Amino acid sequence: LAKTTQPISMDSYEGQEVNITCSHNNIATNDYITWYQQFPSQGPRFIIQGYKTKVTNEVASLFIPADRKSSTLSLPRVSLSDTAVYYCLVGGFSGGYNKLIFGAGTRLAVHP
Amino acid sequence: DAGVIQSPRHEVTEMGQEVTLRCKPISGHNSLFWYRQTMMRGLELLIYFNNNVPIDDSGMPEDRFSAKMPNASFSTLKIQPSEPRDSAVYFCASSVGTGKETQYFGPGTRLLVL
């Protein structure tokens, strides 16, 4: 299973765009890239998933270059409520079944 | 629709006691996952079931841990006997299918073993 590397922490201010980059050099052909968000005292919540190029939903955008060895989660105009831990996952067929390996995540702090 | 339901939300017990955590997945989901989260080790996958069958239990730390899924709407994670190092937040998640599908997490059970 591919290992992911992302910054331990990031700081931003309200209204700014935040980009969190994740590297996954050993990503396999059939692996998807998924991002989860976790608030304190809550379970992780799915944000976005992609395979290649760009994916956008109402919450975020995900940019994946052609070699797929990295990906960037983009959060437009963050607010204080976006303060959370963001996990980049590359899953992961193990024996034909999905296996998500959560790394340490990136702690994003949004300041007023 | 109700999300993943876990009970209890908090559990405090003494070392050596049996602890049972419960999970009700989202209706229609056929995969269920148990995770443990600690500050030191982060979020770890313990076991997952597909169609009520345990598929991968390689993350279960010791024989003291066991999990069952008697039907599609209920699963338990049992620790017997419990130890202080088992203190953590235990999450249950469910999803549809077996591949890249989104996992929906419950609120977690915060376990403290004294």
Side-chain angles (χ1 to χ4, degrees):
Chain A
L1 294 172
K3 179 181 177 181
T4 61
T5 302
Q6 52 184 124
I8 297 294
S9 63
M10 293 182 70
D11 288 274
S12 184
Y13 293 90
E14 283 189 294
Q16 289 189 336
E17 178 184 76
V18 171
N19 295 309
I20 306 175
T21 297
C22 176
S23 66
H24 26 80
N25 292 320
N26 298 321
I27 189 169
T29 302
N30 59 355
D31 284 345
Y32 281 76
I33 300 156
T34 310
W35 287 79
Y36 280 77
Q37 173 192 55
Q38 186 178 25
F39 296 114
S41 302
Q42 295 186 24
R45 185 179 71 167
F46 171 87
I47 302 176
I48 197 166
Q49 183 181 72
Y51 184 80
K52 62 180 178 181
T53 63
K54 177 184 175 181
V55 179
T56 297
N57 60 24
E58 64 278 6
V59 177
S61 294
L62 179 59
F63 299 91
I64 305 169
D67 65 7
R68 303 198 332 119
K69 293 184 182 298
S70 68
S71 59
T72 299
L73 174 72
S74 180
L75 305 173
R77 297 180 298 281
V78 295
S79 63
L80 296 176
S81 62
D82 292 316
T83 294
V85 178
Y86 292 82
Y87 296 96
C88 165
L89 296 89
V90 176
F93 287 88
S94 174
Y97 294 90
N98 187 38
K99 188 165 184 172
L100 292 184
I101 308 296
F102 283 82
T106 297
R107 290 186 176 276
L108 173 65
V110 180
H111 305 281
Chain B
D1 285 340
V4 175
I5 299 173
Q6 292 187 245
S7 64
R9 293 293 308 277
H10 302 274
E11 178 81 25
V12 180
T13 189
E14 293 186 346
M15 182 174 63
Q17 296 298 307
E18 177 180 292
V19 175
T20 299
L21 311 181
R22 297 173 176 79
C23 174
K24 177 180 171 55
I26 293 173
S27 177
H29 285 192
N30 62 341
S31 288
L32 184 139
F33 308 81
W34 282 100
Y35 291 86
R36 177 174 69 176
Q37 186 171 38
T38 61
M39 288 296 293
M40 291 297 295
R41 301 176 67 87
L43 200 59
E44 306 171 276
L45 175 64
L46 300 178
I47 185 171
Y48 71 86
F49 296 83
N50 180 257
N51 292 326
N52 312 335
V53 176
I55 301 301
D56 185 345
D57 64 354
S58 60
M60 295 286 264
E62 302 173 32
D63 291 344
R64 298 185 296 106
F65 286 70
S66 62
K68 294 182 180 180
M69 192 165 186
N71 57 63
S73 59
F74 183 67
S75 176
T76 60
L77 177 66
K78 184 177 294 185
I79 308 172
Q80 167 64 20
S82 59
E83 296 182 3
R85 57 186 169 140
D86 301 329
S87 297
V89 181
Y90 291 81
F91 290 104
C92 175
S94 69
S95 71
V96 175
T98 62
K100 66 178 180 67
E101 297 81 8
T102 300
Q103 291 188 17
Y104 295 85
F105 284 74
T109 295
R110 187 172 297 273
L111 172 66
L112 177 61
V113 183
L114 302 173

